[in-house]
Every structure is written in C-alpha cells, then in structure tokens.
C-alpha cells in the first residue's frame, strides 16, 4: 500500500495480488485502515469481443462472474470515466481462471452474452462485492493486454497457487528451461507497462477535472 497525493486529492494505491481471494482480503483490509471516498479497480484484462484491441480501456457498466448478481459500479464515477478520450463503456467478467487463448476467450464470450466491449479478468467482481458491502462507491477500469484473437505465451494457470496467486518462481524456472518463450514474455511485459501508463494518465485526468 502506498499513500500519496494528486493535487488536492489524497490517494491510496494497493496491489492486492492475483485472484479473488487476495482481492477480497486486500480491499477489506484497505477499507478498514483508511477512510475511502471511492474505490477504483484498475488493471489489465483480456479482450473477449473482437472490437477491442491492445491498449483499449473499458469502464465497466456491468460486472459479472457467474456466481450470482454483482453490484453495479457507481454511476457518477462511471460517467466521468466514460467522458475520457479513448475509454469505452462495456462489461467485465471475472473468471476463476486466466483465459489464455482464443478458444477459452471465445467460450466465455458465448457464455456471457456476445456483446461488444467485453473483457475478462480475475478480481473485479470481488472488489465490487467488498466495496458495495462496505457502502463505498466503486469504479472498474481495465486496459486490454491481449485481444480476443491472441494467445498468451504461457499457460499461467499452471503456475497458480490454491488462493489464485501466481507462483513467480515456478514461472521463472519454467522460463529458464524453455528459453524460446523469452521474447514473447518480454513483449507481454512491454504491453503491461504500456497499459499501466495509459491507465495512470486516464486516472490523473479524471481526478484533475
């Protein structure tokens, strides 16, 4: 957790780690420790619909996870995000596994409604439920790191622990044994950095208005 300021705004940023369990635990702890006016779930997601390209940013008008109703994002913050250049409104589906290739993404897209501007992540539904339970307005903003037609360079599901977090040492060992995937992993890292910079600029603009 890092606390800072953006102009007159006090901000607290948290990296909860991968997966629903860590998302719930992290946000509950954050709200316990700080007086939060709003919660922004910011990060990357995989594209499910063909209209989205790498670097596109989706603000969630709807969040789903297949486990029942998920509270709706805050209308006021959603409208402010929607007014930012390059941001489209869509839906975010939180899945228990990483959608690693076009087959997995296509299967999810068919299951959840086949609409435009749909992305998949691991945590947004968990953040939404915790924020709503604590009566804190929330917003979900996700940048597309891989499109619906792309496969990730590695099946990251093989390297997840029981709580959903990633075993980075296992990934490192696998990479050492399979050096041919290094260029693709480097490319993915650059994409993640690009998405992070894009999200940072958008949040700065939104909070400065």
């Amino acid at each position: 957790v890092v606390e800072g300021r953006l102009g007159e705004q006090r901000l607290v940023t948290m990296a909860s780690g991968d997966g629903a369990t860590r998302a719930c635990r992290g946000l509950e702890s954050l709200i316990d420790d700080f007086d939060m006016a709003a919660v922004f779930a910011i990060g990357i997601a995989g594209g499910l619909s063909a209209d989205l390209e790498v670097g596109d940013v989706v603000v969630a008008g709807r969040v789903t996870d297949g486990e029942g109703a998920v509270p709706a994002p805050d209308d006021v913050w959603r409208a402010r995000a929607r007014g930012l250049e390059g941001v489209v409104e869509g839906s975010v589906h939180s899945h228990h596994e990483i959608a690693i290739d076009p087959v997995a993404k296509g299967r999810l897209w068919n299951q959840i409604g086949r609409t435009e501007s749909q992305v998949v992540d691991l945590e947004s539904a968990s953040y939404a439920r915790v924020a709503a339970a604590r009566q804190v307005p929330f917003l979900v903003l996700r940048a597309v790191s891989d499109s619906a037609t792309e496969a990730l360079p590695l099946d990251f599901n093989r390297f997840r622990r029981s709580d959903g977090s990633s075993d980075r040492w296992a990934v490192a060992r696998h990479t050492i044994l399979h050096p041919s995937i290094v260029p693709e992993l480097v490319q993915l890292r650059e994409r993640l950095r690009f998405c992070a910079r894009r999200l940072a600029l958008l949040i700065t603009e939104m909070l400065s208005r």
Side-chain angles (χ1 to χ4, degrees), residues 43-47 53-56 105 119-120 142-147 150 152 187-188 191-192 194-195:
I44 60 164
E53 298 180 355
V54 173
D56 287 345
K105 294 172 186 178
V119 296
V120 59
R142 293 288 182 177
V144 177
S145 58
D146 47 290
S147 71
E150 292 180 304
L152 294 174
Q187 182 185 50
L188 178 60
R191 285 189 179 192
L192 300 182
F194 171 74
C195 289

Side-chain angles (χ1 to χ4, degrees), residues 26-45:
L27 185 53
E28 287 172 347
S29 178
L30 192 72
I31 294 175
D32 286 341
D33 292 342
F34 294 92
D35 182 18
M36 309 296 293
V39 167
F40 302 153
I42 305 165
I44 60 164

Side-chain angles (χ1 to χ4, degrees), residues 103-168:
V103 174
K105 294 172 186 178
R107 187 182 304 118
L108 281 174
W109 190 57
N110 286 321
Q111 289 174 357
I112 62 179
R114 300 173 59 89
T115 62
E116 293 186 343
S117 302
Q118 285 191 322
V119 296
V120 59
D121 71 0
L122 296 170
E123 302 94 4
S124 287
S126 298
Y127 290 136
R129 289 195 173 98
V130 171
R134 301 298 184 91
Q135 298 183 321
V136 180
F138 72 93
L139 174 77
V140 177
L141 205 62
R142 293 288 182 177
V144 177
S145 58
D146 47 290
S147 71
T149 59
E150 292 180 304
L152 294 174
L154 191 62
D155 183 356
F156 291 99
N157 293 308
R158 292 172 51 196
F159 305 99
R160 297 179 70 202
R161 302 184 182 94
S162 58
D163 66 352
S165 63
S166 297
D167 185 342
R168 288 173 169 77

Side-chain angles (χ1 to χ4, degrees), residues 4-209:
R5 303 194 72 85
L6 177 63
E8 297 300 317
Q9 299 277 358
R10 182 178 69 94
L11 301 180
V12 180
T13 61
M14 175 193 69
S16 65
D18 301 328
T21 300
R22 288 193 168 198
C24 287
R25 187 171 59 209
L27 185 53
E28 287 172 347
S29 178
L30 192 72
I31 294 175
D32 286 341
D33 292 342
F34 294 92
D35 182 18
M36 309 296 293
V39 167
F40 302 153
I42 305 165
I44 60 164
L48 292 183
S49 53
D51 58 305
L52 295 173
E53 298 180 355
V54 173
D56 287 345
V57 177
V58 174
V59 57
R62 182 173 68 114
V63 180
T64 61
D65 67 353
E67 302 294 332
V70 178
D74 182 73
D75 288 338
V76 174
W77 282 112
R78 183 163 52 90
R80 291 180 67 173
R82 195 170 57 230
L84 300 173
E85 184 177 356
V87 175
V88 297
E89 183 169 341
S91 61
V92 176
H93 181 75
S94 294
H95 195 47
H96 62 279
E97 288 187 337
I98 300 169
I100 62 167
D101 57 30
V103 174
K105 294 172 186 178
R107 187 182 304 118
L108 281 174
W109 190 57
N110 286 321
Q111 289 174 357
I112 62 179
R114 300 173 59 89
T115 62
E116 293 186 343
S117 302
Q118 285 191 322
V119 296
V120 59
D121 71 0
L122 296 170
E123 302 94 4
S124 287
S126 298
Y127 290 136
R129 289 195 173 98
V130 171
R134 301 298 184 91
Q135 298 183 321
V136 180
F138 72 93
L139 174 77
V140 177
L141 205 62
R142 293 288 182 177
V144 177
S145 58
D146 47 290
S147 71
T149 59
E150 292 180 304
L152 294 174
L154 191 62
D155 183 356
F156 291 99
N157 293 308
R158 292 172 51 196
F159 305 99
R160 297 179 70 202
R161 302 184 182 94
S162 58
D163 66 352
S165 63
S166 297
D167 185 342
R168 288 173 169 77
W169 286 111
V171 172
R173 287 194 298 270
H174 181 85
T175 302
I176 291 171
L177 295 173
H178 302 83
S180 62
I181 68 172
V182 169
E184 292 179 277
L185 290 174
V186 170
Q187 182 185 50
L188 178 60
R189 182 186 64 182
E190 293 306 309
R191 285 189 179 192
L192 300 182
R193 288 177 172 174
F194 171 74
C195 289
R197 288 192 294 267
R198 176 130 175 74
L199 288 165
L201 290 172
L202 288 170
I203 288 294
T204 300
E205 182 181 352
M206 185 174 68
L207 293 179
S208 300
R209 289 185 169 186

